[in-house]
C-alpha cells in the first residue's frame, strides 16, 4: 500500500493536494483496494457547490457503491471526465488520477498526514 | 455471533490472497487479488474455479425417497434418470420458494439435494419433520464432500486431462458421471451457476479438495470468488435466493412463477400427487399462461415477474432501487451491477471475440407483469431517474464453447437493394448463377456427403415439360385399387411413376415403393403420420394417440435430424407422462467406439421400453446399423414393433457392399434420393409388406399420407429424373457402390497417413460407408471448413458424439460419392488427402492445386454414355431447347 508523503488525507479515504489555491481531490490506494474494481464514477458538475464532510459523487465497484466525501468546502471548478469512460484508472493509478478540483476553498476538514493516515489504515 | 464455518479450501484461499467475507455463516472468498472483473472475464474466456463446498448437501435415501421428494420439491423427480440432475424449488404451501436447489441422481437409490448455504438450516427444519412421515432419511453430508465448480470454455479440456482422456460426462446439460481423476474418485455434474455452456460441478472427498483445486490451477484455471460468481449468474439471468426469490423489498413473498425458470422447475405431473404448494402453483401457472398470451386482465396472483433489465444511460443499478413506468412505480431492481465483457466483431459463425474489454450496466428486476420486452422504464438511482429497457436476455449460451453477451439493440447488417433496374438485376442473377455453377461444378471438390450431382440426362428430364404439370392420383377401391388421376394430360407421368416404382422395388428388393414424397424429411413425416394413423385406425372417436416409445439415434450421436422430435417426429411423438418429455429413447453407443450402436445395451433398452417404433439411420454414419441383430432380438422377445431404416445418407449404397435393409429385417426404408443415390432431390418410402399381411394396411396408409397427406403437386419434373436415376443405379450399382466404399476407406487411410486424425475404427479402415470423419480440434470445425472452402474444397463441419453442438464442432464430415461419380479413384483421393492435410495442418494455400485436380474429372461416370444414348440426348436437348 502506498501513502505518498506530499499528499494530505481525509478519514473518508480521499487524498488532497493544493495547487495555487485549488484543491485537487482523489481517492487513496487503500480506498481503491477496498473497493475492488471500480466500474463507474458519478461526478458532480462544474460550478456545483461542494461541502466539507458531504458527498460530492460516488464510485461504483462491481460489489457496491461508495460515496465520495469532499474534504473541503468550495466550488467545483473542474471534473475529470476521463473517468466516465475509464473508471478503472482509479484502481490502476489512484494518486495519478484526480477526480475533481475545487476552488474558492472556504473550509477544510481536519486532514491527516501520510504517516497519520497510514496508521489509521493499518490500525 | 457464532464462529464462521470454513470449507475444506479455506487455507488454500488465504494462501492465494483472497479477500474473505461472511457468506451465510461461512468464511468465503469474495475475490482474489486479480479482482472480480478479471475473474468474470477469465471465466468467460478460459476457466475459473469456484469453491462451492459451503452449499448444503443433503443425501436422501430410503424406500420412499421418490414419494418424499415428489411431495417437497416442485419438480418431477420421477422423470429424473440415473446420471441426470434437475433444477428444482422447495415450495411452501403458498407457492413461494423456501429455497431453490439442484437434485442429482448419481446413484440408483440415493439422491443428492444441493441447497443454498445460507438456507441449509432453514431447509432442514422444513424437510425433516415431513421426512418423518416417509420411509426416508435425510442426511447432511456437507462436511464430507468438497465441491468445486469448474466453469468456462476450457473446462472440458482441463477436466479431460485429469480424466486421462475419458469423457468427463455426456455432452448434454445436467449429465452426471462418476469417475477417477488422476486416481481420486469424483462425482461430476455438467451443471453450473455461471451461464457457461461448458462447466462442471465436481464433488470430491474432503481430503482431495486442495489437490483438485491446485491441480486445476496448474493446468491454467484460476480461482474466482463469490463476487464473480454473482456477476456471472446475473449476466446469465439466473435467480439468486434472497434477490429473485423469497421476499420482495416490501417483505411480501414472491410467487415461484415470477421466476422464468419456474417453467422448467415446476411439474404438475399426476404422479406428484398433492405436493406442498401445488394448489397455489396451479393458480400461478394459470396466471402465467394468461400473461404469456398478453392477457393482463387478471394478474392478481402474479402481479410482478422477474425480468432482465439494461440501463440505456450512464449509471449502475443496485438491488432495491425502484423501477418506474410513466411516472408510476412498477417494482424494483432485484440484482444489478456493471458487468464486463469482451467485445465481439463480425457476424454469425465469423464472430471473433476480441481482447477489448467493455462494460454494461445490467440487472434483474421484479416488475409489473404487463411489461413487454423492449419496453422503456426508468430506474431511480439515488434520486436520479435513469432510462432503462427490458431486453430479451443478457447472455446466450446456445453457441458453445462460449457464453455470448447479448447487447441491447444490436442489429445485423442487411443486404441493401442495389436500386438497379429489374432487367439489370435479371442479368446480374444469370451471371452470378453461372459463376456459382462453374465454381461448384468445375473448380471445387465437393465432399458434402449429403450431396451428389445428377447426370445430364437426369437434369434435363427434371427440367422438361412435366416440371410444370400436376398429376394428383389416388387408388380407388371401386376400381380394384386402380390409380385414378384427377387431371387430363397425365398419361405419360402415370407410366413414368409406375416404371419408377418398379425400378426401385428391384433396387431395394421389396414389395412396395412410394415415390411422390419430394424430400427425405417428407418421406419420414409421411411415414410417422401413417404409423400414427395406423395405430389409431380402430378408434376414430378419440383424439389420436401419438407414437411412443420410439427408439432412435440421438442427434448428438449422429442421429438424423429428420428422425428427431425437433424434426419430422415433432407432431407424432407422445409425451411420456412419467418423465414429461418426448417418448423417445436412444440407442446406446459402444464405449470404445461412440460411432457404433452397442447391441447388448440396446437389448436392455428394448426390454425396458418395448418401443413401438425403432428407427435406424444416421447422418453421421461410418458403420452399418445392427438391423439383423435387433430384428432377431425383438422377434425372440416378441416385442411388437416396427423397424424402420432412415437410409437418407446411405440409400445409394444399399446392397451387398453395405447392407440390405430388407433382407436384414427392416420393414420400412425411407430416404432421400440425392445423397449417395443418383437422383434429383426427392424422397422415397419403401416397404416390404405383402398383400396378405396385416401390416399391408400400414403401407396403404403410407400411400394416403403421401397423397393427399403430404403433397398435392409432387414435382413431376424430378419424378421423371428419378426414373432415369433408378435406371442408372440398377445398371451401374455394382461398380458404383464398390468404388464408393473402396474410395472412402482408401481416402480415410490417406488422410490418416497424411497426419490427420481420422475418427472411427482402423480395423475396418475407419468407415463402412461413403463418409469419412476427421477430427480437427474442439470447436475448430467451422473455421477449418471455411478455410477449406477458400481452397475450393467443400466439406461440412460436424459435432462428434462427445461435442455439445454445431458451434462446438471439432470434426469435418466428408463423403466420397460425388467425386467418385466424377471419376475419382484411390489415386485421386490420395492426392486430395495430401492437399487437405497441407491446408488443415500447415495452412498452405492449395486452391490452385485443388482446381487443377478437379479439372481432369468433370465427366460423369456410372451413367449411360454409349453413342446411341449420347446422340439421343443431344437431339433431346436440341429439340426441347436446352
Amino acid at each position: 500500500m502506498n501513502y505518498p508523503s506530499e499528499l494530505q488525507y481525509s478519514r473518508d479515504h480521499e487524498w488532497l493536494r493544493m495547487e495555487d489555491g485549488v484543491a485537487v481531490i482523489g481517492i487513496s490506494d487503500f480506498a481503491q483496494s477496498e473497493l475492488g474494481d471500480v466500474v463507474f464514477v458519478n461526478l458532480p458538475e462544474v460550478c456545483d457547490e461542494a461541502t466539507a464532510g458531504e458527498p460530492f459523487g460516488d464510485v461504483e465497484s462491481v460489489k457496491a457503491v461508495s460515496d465520495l466525501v469532499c474534504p473541503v468546502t468550495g466550488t467545483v471548478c473542474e471534473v475529470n471526465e476521463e473517468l466516465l469512460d475509464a473508471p478503472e484508472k482509479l484502481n490502476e493509478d489512484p494518486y495519478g488520477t484526480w477526480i475533481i478540483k475545487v476552488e474558492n476553498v472556504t473550509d477544510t476538514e481536519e486532514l491527516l498526514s501520510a504517516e497519520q493516515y497510514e496508521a489509521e489504515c493499518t490500525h | 455471533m457464532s464462529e464462521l464455518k470454513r470449507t475444506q479450501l479455506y487455507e488454500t484461499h488465504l494462501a492465494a490472497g483472497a479477500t474473505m467475507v461472511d457468506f451465510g455463516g461461512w468464511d468465503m472468498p469474495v475475490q482474489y487479488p486479480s479482482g472480480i472483473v478479471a475473474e468474470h472475464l477469465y471465466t468467460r474466456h478460459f476457466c475459473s474455479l469456484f469453491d462451492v463446498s459451503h452449499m448444503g448437501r443433503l443425501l436422501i435415501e430410503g424406500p420412499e425417497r421418490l414419494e418424499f421428494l415428489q411431495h417437497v420439491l416442485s419438480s418431477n423427480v420421477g422423470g429424473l434418470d440415473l446420471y441426470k440432475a434437475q433444477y428444482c424449488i422447495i415450495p411452501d404451501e403458498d407457492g413461494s420458494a423456501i429455497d431453490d436447489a439442484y437434485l442429482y441422481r448419481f446413484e440408483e437409490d440415493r439422491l443428492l439435494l444441493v441447497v443454498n448455504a445460507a438456507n441449509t438450516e432453514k431447509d432442514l427444519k422444513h424437510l425433516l419433520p415431513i421426512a418423518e412421515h416417509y420411509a426416508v432419511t435425510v442426511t447432511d453430508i456437507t462436511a464430507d464432500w468438497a465441491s468445486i465448480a469448474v466453469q468456462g470454455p476450457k473446462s472440458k479440456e482441463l477436466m479431460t486431462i485429469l480424466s486421462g482422456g475419458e469423457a468427463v460426462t455426456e455432452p448434454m446439460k445436467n449429465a452426471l458421471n462418476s469417475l477417477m481423476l488422476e486416481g481420486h474418485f469424483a462425482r461430476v455434474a455438467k451443471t453450473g451457476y455461471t451461464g457457461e455452456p461448458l462447466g462442471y460441478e465436481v464433488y470430491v472427498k474432503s481430503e482431495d479438495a486442495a489437490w483438485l483445486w491446485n491441480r486445476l490451477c496448474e493446468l491454467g484455471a484460476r480461482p474466482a470468488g463469490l463476487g464473480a460468481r454473482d456477476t456471472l449468474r446475473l449476466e446469465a439471468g439466473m435467480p439468486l435466493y434472497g434477490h429473485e426469490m423469497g421476499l420482495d423489498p416490501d417483505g411480501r413473498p414472491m410467487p415461484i412463477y415470477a421466476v422464468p425458470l419456474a417453467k422448467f422447475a415446476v411439474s404438475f405431473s399426476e404422479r406428484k400427487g398433492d405436493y406442498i404448494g401445488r394448489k397455489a402453483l396451479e393458480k400461478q401457472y394459470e396466471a402465467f399462461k394468461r400473461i404469456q398470451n398478453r392477457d393482463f386482465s387478471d394478474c392478481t396472483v402474479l402481479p410482478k415477474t422477474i425480468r432482465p433489465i439494461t440501463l440505456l444511460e450512464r449509471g449502475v443499478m443496485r438491488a432495491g432501487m425502484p423501477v418506474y413506468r410513466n411516472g408510476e412505480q412498477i417494482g424494483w431492481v432485484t440484482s444489478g451491477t456493471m458487468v464486463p465483457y469482451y467485445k465481439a466483431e463480425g457476424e454469425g459463425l465469423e464472430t471473433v471475440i476480441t481482447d477489448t474489454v467493455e462494460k454494461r450496466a445490467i440487472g434483474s428486476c421484479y416488475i409489473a407483469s404487463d411489461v413487454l420486452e423492449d419496453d422503456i422504464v426508468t430506474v431511480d438511482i439515488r434520486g436520479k431517474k435513469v432510462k432503462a429497457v427490458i431486453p430479451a436476455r443478457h447472455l446466450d449460451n446456445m453457441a458453445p464453447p462460449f457464453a455470448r453477451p447479448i447487447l441491447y439493440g444490436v442489429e445485423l447488417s442487411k443486404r441493401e437493394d442495389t436500386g438497379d433496374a429489374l432487367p439489370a438485376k435479371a442479368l446480374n442473377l444469370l451471371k452470378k448463377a453461372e459463376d456459382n455453377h462453374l465454381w461448384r461444378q468445375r473448380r471445387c471438390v465437393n465432399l458434402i456427403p449429403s450431396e451428389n450431382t445428377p447426370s445430364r440426362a437426369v437434369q434435363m428430364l427434371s427440367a422438361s415439360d412435366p416440371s410444370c404439370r400436376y398429376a394428383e392420383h389416388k387408388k380407388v377401391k371401386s376400381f380394384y385399387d386402380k390409380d385414378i388421376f384427377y387431371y387430363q394430360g397425365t398419361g405419360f407421368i402415370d407410366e413414368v411413376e409406375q416404371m419408377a416404382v418398379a425400378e426401385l422395388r428391384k433396387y431395394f428388393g421389396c414389395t412396395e415403393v412410394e415415390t411422390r414424397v419430394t424430400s427425405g424429411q417428407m418421406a419420414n413425416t409421411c411415414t410417422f403420420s401413417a404409423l400414427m394413423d395406423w395405430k389409431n385406425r380402430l378408434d376414430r372417436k378419440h383424439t389420436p394417440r401419438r407414437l411412443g416409445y420410439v427408439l432412435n439415434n440421438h442427434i448428438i450421436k449422429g442421429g438424423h435430424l429428420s428422425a428427431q422430435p425437433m424434426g419430422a417426429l415433432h407432431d407424432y411423438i407422445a409425451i411420456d407422462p412419467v418423465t414429461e418429455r418426448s417418448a423417445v429413447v436412444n440407442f446406446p453407443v459402444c464405449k470404445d467406439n461412440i460411432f457404433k450402436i452397442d447391441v447388448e445395451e440396446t437389448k436392455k433398452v428394448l426390454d425396458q421400453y418395448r418401443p413401438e417404433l425403432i428407427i435406424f439411420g444416421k447422418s453421421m454414419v461410418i458403420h452399418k446399423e445392427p438391423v439383423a441383430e435387433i430384428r432377431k432380438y425383438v422377434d425372440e422377445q416378441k416385442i411388437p414393433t416396427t423397424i424402420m431404416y432412415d437410409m437418407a445418407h446411405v440409400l445409394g449404397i444399399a446392397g451387398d457392399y453395405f447392407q440390405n435393409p430388407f433382407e436384414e429385417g427392416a420393414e420400412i426404408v425411407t430416404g432421400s434420393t440425392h445423397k449417395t443415390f443418383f437422383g434429383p432431390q426427392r424422397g422415397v418410402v419403401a416397404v416390404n409388406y405383402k398383400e396378405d399381411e396385416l401390416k399391408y394396411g400400414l403401407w396403404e396408409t403410407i400411400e394416403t399420407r403421401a397423397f393427399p397427406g403430404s403433397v398435392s403437386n409432387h414435382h413431376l419434373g424430378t419424378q421423371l429424373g428419378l426414373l432415369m436415376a433408378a435406371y442408372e443405379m440398377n445398371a451401374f450399382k455394382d461398380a458404383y457402390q464398390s468404388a464408393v466404399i473402396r474410395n472412402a476407406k482408401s481416402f480415410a487411410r490417406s488422410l490418416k497417413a497424411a497426419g490427420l486424425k481420422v475418427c472411427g475404427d482402423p480395423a475396418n479402415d475407419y468407415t463402412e460407408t461413403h463418409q469419412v470423419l476427421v477430427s480437427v480440434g474442439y470447436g475448430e470445425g467451422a473455421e477449418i471448413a471455411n478455410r477449406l472452402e477458400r481452397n475450393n474444397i467443400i466439406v461440412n463441419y460436424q459435432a462428434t458424439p462427445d461435442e455439445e453442438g454445431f458451434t462446438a464442432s471439432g470434426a469435418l464430415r466428408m463423403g466420397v460419392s460425388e467425386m467418385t461419380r466424377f471419376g475419382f479413384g484411390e489415386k485421386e483421393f490420395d492426392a486430395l488427402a495430401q492437399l487437405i492435410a497441407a491446408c488443415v495442418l500447415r495452412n498452405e494455400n492449395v486452391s490452385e492445386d485443388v482446381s487443377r485436380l478437379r479439372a481432369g474429372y468433370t465427366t460423369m461416370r456410372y451413367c449411360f454414355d454409349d453413342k446411341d444414348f449420347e446422340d439421343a440426348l443431344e437431339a433431346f436437348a436440341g429439340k426441347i431447347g436446352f
Side-chain angles (χ1 to χ4, degrees):
Chain A
M1 211 62 67
N2 193 3
Y3 305 93
S5 57
E6 66 274 22
L7 300 175
Q8 292 179 289
Y9 301 86
S10 75
R11 289 201 156 80
D12 296 306
H13 307 288
E14 277 76 28
W15 58 257
L16 178 142
R17 181 177 71 228
M18 293 304 290
E19 279 177 7
D20 304 327
V22 173
V24 181
I25 295 162
I27 61 168
S28 72
D29 192 12
F30 179 82
Q32 73 77 22
S33 148
E34 285 291 295
L35 283 167
D37 294 311
V38 174
V39 290
F40 187 69
V41 186
N42 235 324
L43 297 169
E45 306 211 348
V46 171
C47 296
D48 280 1
E49 293 302 318
T51 310
E54 298 285 324
F56 66 86
D58 49 58
V59 281
E60 304 253 11
S61 70
V62 178
K63 285 176 280 186
V65 58
S66 306
D67 282 335
L68 292 165
V69 178
C70 200
V72 297
T73 299
T75 311
V76 177
C77 60
E78 219 179 318
V79 298
N80 186 353
E81 291 194 355
E82 199 190 349
L83 290 174
L84 292 175
D85 291 319
E88 63 276 6
K89 288 205 171 300
L90 290 176
N91 294 115
E92 290 161 5
D93 185 11
Y95 298 113
T97 311
W98 57 275
I99 301 174
I100 56 168
K101 295 184 182 178
V102 179
E103 62 186 5
N104 305 326
V105 175
T106 56
D107 188 20
T108 304
E109 271 193 334
E110 183 201 338
L111 295 172
L112 308 175
S113 69
E115 294 86 48
Q116 288 167 321
Y117 179 63
E118 183 172 0
E120 284 267 318
C121 292
T122 49
H123 181 62
Chain B
M1 202 177 105
S2 61
E3 196 156 305
L4 292 179
K5 286 180 270 195
R6 293 172 176 180
T7 73
Q8 297 84 343
L9 291 162
Y10 176 78
E11 297 295 337
T12 312
H13 300 319
L14 290 190
T19 308
M20 307 296 283
V21 293
D22 172 5
F23 184 84
W26 292 80
D27 205 357
M28 295 298 290
V30 67
Q31 67 173 75
Y32 296 83
S34 61
I36 295 171
V37 167
E39 290 166 25
H40 182 114
L41 290 169
Y42 201 72
T43 313
R44 294 276 181 248
H45 146 98
F46 201 88
C47 177
S48 294
L49 305 179
F50 302 81
D51 180 9
V52 286
S53 307
H54 61 306
M55 297 195 75
R57 287 182 289 281
L58 311 177
L59 192 66
I60 321 284
E61 298 169 280
E64 289 183 331
R65 60 191 181 276
L66 189 64
E67 290 82 352
F68 167 68
L69 289 169
Q70 290 283 43
H71 189 64
V72 297
L73 300 181
S74 63
S75 57
N76 180 12
V77 183
L80 182 62
D81 295 335
L82 184 62
Y83 287 119
K84 282 285 193 181
Q86 68 180 201
Y87 176 69
C88 56
I89 293 166
I90 305 174
D92 64 16
E93 274 305 349
D94 301 323
S96 185
I98 292 170
D99 201 358
D100 64 338
Y102 236 95
L103 184 67
Y104 298 84
R105 194 168 164 206
F106 282 109
E107 295 167 282
E108 184 66 44
D109 50 2
R110 291 161 139 193
L111 289 129
L112 181 68
L113 187 67
V114 178
V115 300
N116 280 299
N119 288 342
T120 310
E121 269 178 49
K122 179 179 79 169
D123 294 342
L124 280 170
K125 226 159 138 185
H126 169 73
L127 295 174
L128 290 176
I130 304 169
E132 283 175 17
H133 301 289
Y134 292 85
V136 72
T137 56
V138 179
T139 320
D140 184 350
I141 56 158
T142 309
D144 305 340
W145 291 80
S147 177
I148 296 171
V150 186
Q151 304 278 307
K154 288 283 176 190
S155 58
K156 185 171 178 170
E157 192 181 315
L158 304 193
M159 287 292 291
T160 309
I161 294 173
L162 298 188
S163 73
E166 191 188 329
V168 180
T169 65
E170 288 278 320
M172 291 74 93
K173 188 174 185 282
N174 289 339
L176 308 182
N177 196 13
S178 295
L179 74 170
M180 301 302 285
L181 299 177
E182 296 189 345
H184 305 258
F185 179 74
R187 294 214 161 109
V188 185
K190 191 136 193 284
T191 53
Y193 194 48
T194 56
E196 283 298 316
L198 296 189
Y200 304 91
E201 288 174 310
V202 187
Y203 297 91
V204 288
K205 297 298 276 182
S206 294
E207 58 270 25
D208 291 332
W211 166 79
L212 179 61
W213 186 274
N214 293 328
R215 184 75 184 94
L216 284 164
C217 286
E218 267 173 38
L219 294 175
R222 289 181 192 164
L226 293 173
R229 187 167 156 84
D230 190 46
T231 57
L232 289 158
R233 72 90 198 164
L234 173 60
E235 191 179 29
M238 296 167 130
L240 171 61
Y241 190 87
H243 287 253
E244 285 78 32
M245 277 183 199
L247 301 179
D248 73 14
D250 271 354
R252 280 188 296 255
M254 293 192 268
I256 286 169
Y257 262 94
V259 181
L261 274 180
K263 220 168 35 182
F264 306 102
V266 178
S267 161
F268 299 112
S269 162
E270 279 178 31
R271 287 166 171 79
K272 280 186 67 64
D274 187 21
Y275 69 89
I276 295 174
R278 177 171 193 139
K279 284 193 184 64
L281 285 167
E282 279 173 347
K283 278 193 195 137
Q284 291 177 20
Y285 181 48
E286 290 308 312
F288 170 80
K289 283 189 286 188
R290 282 195 299 276
I291 290 164
Q292 292 300 307
N293 285 321
R294 299 195 182 177
D295 167 5
F296 306 117
S297 57
D298 181 6
C299 299
T300 39
V301 296
L302 215 52
K304 296 188 178 73
T305 49
I306 298 290
R307 310 290 295 274
I309 182 167
T310 302
L311 283 191
L312 295 174
E313 298 173 330
R314 287 181 188 278
V316 181
M317 288 172 285
R318 303 290 179 183
M321 289 179 176
V323 178
Y324 290 84
R325 174 180 56 188
N326 302 327
E328 181 199 356
Q329 189 182 343
I330 53 166
W332 306 267
V333 172
T334 51
S335 297
T337 185
M338 190 77 100
V339 169
Y341 64 92
Y342 284 113
K343 198 176 154 195
E345 282 171 1
E347 284 184 359
L349 276 175
E350 270 95 75
T351 301
V352 174
I353 300 169
T354 70
D355 294 340
T356 309
V357 175
E358 302 205 334
K359 298 190 187 86
R360 54 187 178 145
I362 58 169
S364 294
C365 57
Y366 182 54
I367 54 169
S369 297
D370 62 348
V371 173
L372 299 178
E373 197 177 302
D374 295 326
D375 276 1
I376 300 292
V377 295
T378 55
V379 181
D380 184 338
I381 300 182
R382 292 181 297 283
K384 199 169 147 197
K385 292 274 174 64
V386 180
K387 203 163 116 184
V389 68
I390 308 304
R393 60 183 66 79
H394 295 314
L395 188 82
D396 193 277
N397 62 11
M398 297 306 279
F402 296 104
R404 297 167 199 266
I406 303 296
L407 308 182
Y408 189 75
V410 171
E411 282 190 23
L412 296 179
S413 58
K414 287 201 185 93
R415 196 172 286 276
E416 296 291 328
D417 189 329
T418 54
D420 293 343
L422 287 170
K425 284 181 177 173
L427 273 179
N428 184 41
L429 175 58
L430 275 186
K431 177 78 189 77
K432 284 191 159 171
E434 181 187 313
D435 290 348
N436 176 66
H437 187 91
L438 294 179
W439 176 54
R440 291 294 301 258
Q441 289 288 334
R442 305 278 163 79
R443 299 197 302 279
C444 272
V445 167
N446 186 59
L447 297 173
I448 305 268
S450 54
E451 295 175 355
N452 215 325
T453 295
S455 66
R456 185 163 179 238
V458 169
Q459 294 197 42
M460 287 211 300
L461 289 168
S462 297
S464 66
D465 176 80
S467 65
C468 338
R469 306 298 162 204
Y470 265 88
E472 292 167 319
H473 60 89
K474 192 180 165 195
K475 283 183 177 146
V476 176
K477 293 265 179 244
S478 309
F479 301 116
Y480 306 98
D481 272 344
K482 170 83 183 163
D483 257 307
I484 303 300
F485 281 69
Y486 294 68
Y487 293 170
Q488 296 309 115
T490 52
F492 172 61
I493 202 70
D494 180 12
E495 195 189 323
V496 164
E497 279 191 45
Q498 290 190 41
M499 290 189 292
V501 165
E503 218 51 54
L504 287 166
R505 274 189 197 140
K506 242 184 276 168
Y507 178 72
F508 291 116
C510 70
T511 57
E512 301 289 355
V513 174
E514 174 59 73
T515 62
R516 284 174 293 183
V517 285
T518 58
S519 71
Q521 168 104 345
M522 190 190 285
N524 280 358
T525 311
C526 170
T527 304
F528 299 144
S529 172
L531 280 159
M532 188 170 132
D533 194 74
W534 174 250
K535 175 177 181 167
N536 292 280
R537 70 193 184 281
L538 301 176
D539 177 8
R540 300 296 189 190
K541 292 180 179 165
H542 293 94
T543 306
R545 290 163 300 143
R546 291 181 167 208
L547 304 174
Y549 262 76
V550 171
L551 173 62
N552 69 1
N553 285 298
H554 194 287
I555 190 153
I556 284 190
K557 308 278 185 241
H560 194 209
L561 184 62
S562 299
Q564 307 291 324
M566 70 169 96
L569 255 185
H570 190 267
D571 298 335
Y572 308 104
I573 190 75
I575 296 289
D576 178 346
V578 175
T579 64
E580 299 181 295
R581 295 188 296 270
S582 291
V584 167
V585 61
N586 303 122
F587 283 109
V589 296
C590 298
K591 274 212 153 53
D592 56 351
N593 182 354
I594 49 184
F595 298 97
K596 196 170 183 174
I597 290 174
D598 184 330
V599 173
E600 289 314 308
E601 287 299 312
T602 301
K603 289 177 181 172
K604 293 180 198 163
V605 172
L606 288 167
D607 290 340
Q608 190 187 342
Y609 289 90
R610 302 181 74 80
E612 66 180 275
L613 173 64
I614 298 171
I615 312 173
F616 285 105
K618 294 175 173 181
S619 54
M620 172 171 55
V621 52
I622 53 175
H623 287 289
K624 293 170 189 164
E625 297 276 79
V627 181
E629 290 99 314
I630 299 304
R631 163 56 69 195
K632 181 160 177 279
Y633 189 74
V634 297
D635 286 352
E636 280 167 7
Q637 301 299 312
K638 299 193 169 40
I639 297 172
T641 189
T642 299
I643 296 184
M644 162 180 168
Y645 193 159
D646 173 356
M647 295 194 83
H649 273 266
V650 290
L651 199 80
I653 53 172
D656 298 342
Y657 298 95
F658 178 56
Q659 63 185 139
N660 283 296
F662 290 115
E663 268 178 30
E664 292 181 22
E667 295 158 59
I668 305 175
V669 166
T670 59
S672 43
T673 53
H674 48 266
K675 292 182 167 75
T676 42
F677 204 80
F678 290 165
Q681 294 184 328
R682 295 189 66 85
V684 65
V685 184
V687 306
N688 204 20
Y689 300 122
K690 294 175 188 63
E691 265 186 76
D692 55 355
E693 265 183 82
L694 172 65
K695 273 187 163 177
Y696 194 79
L698 171 59
W699 157 248
E700 291 176 316
T701 311
I702 289 172
E703 286 186 295
T704 62
R705 295 321 295 156
F707 175 80
S710 305
V711 280
S712 161
N713 175 353
H714 55 280
H715 299 186
L716 307 183
T718 51
Q719 178 79 26
L720 191 50
L722 178 62
L723 174 57
M724 180 59 80
Y727 287 151
E728 290 170 351
M729 191 49 97
N730 281 343
F732 301 102
K733 144 179 187 178
D734 257 354
Y736 167 71
Q737 292 183 341
S738 58
V740 165
I741 306 289
R742 191 173 55 240
N743 281 345
K745 288 175 182 288
S746 173
F747 185 40
R749 286 193 307 266
S750 292
L751 288 164
K752 176 76 181 174
L756 286 154
K757 276 175 77 178
V758 181
C759 305
D761 185 356
N764 59 29
D765 293 327
Y766 309 96
T767 183
E768 297 175 286
T769 72
H770 64 303
Q771 289 189 10
V772 176
L773 303 169
V774 168
S775 172
V776 291
Y778 185 75
E780 302 291 327
E783 199 194 313
I784 300 283
N786 239 330
R787 187 195 301 171
L788 285 167
E789 179 182 328
R790 289 194 300 272
N791 284 276
N792 297 327
I793 298 169
I794 311 286
V795 303
N796 73 271
Y797 59 89
Q798 172 77 45
T800 59
D802 51 6
E803 292 166 349
E804 285 71 17
F806 72 99
T807 53
S809 296
L812 306 176
R813 186 182 68 156
M814 299 182 275
V816 300
S817 47
E818 182 165 338
M819 293 319 298
T820 298
R821 258 209 120 182
F822 278 116
F824 268 32
E826 293 181 76
K827 187 170 79 76
E828 291 76 16
F829 274 111
D830 183 60
L832 180 60
Q834 307 310 320
L835 295 173
I836 290 175
C839 180
V840 172
L841 300 174
R842 301 185 289 279
N843 203 5
E844 287 173 26
N845 184 337
V846 296
S847 57
E848 289 304 316
D849 306 271
V850 172
S851 291
R852 254 196 306 281
L853 175 64
R854 178 68 164 93
Y857 299 88
T858 53
T859 308
M860 178 73 63
R861 317 292 161 101
Y862 311 106
C863 56
F864 305 105
D865 57 359
D866 56 279
K867 176 126 192 355
D868 288 352
F869 189 84
E870 288 287 326
D871 289 349
L873 195 60
E874 273 315 310
F876 180 69
K879 280 183 190 148
I880 68 172
F882 283 150

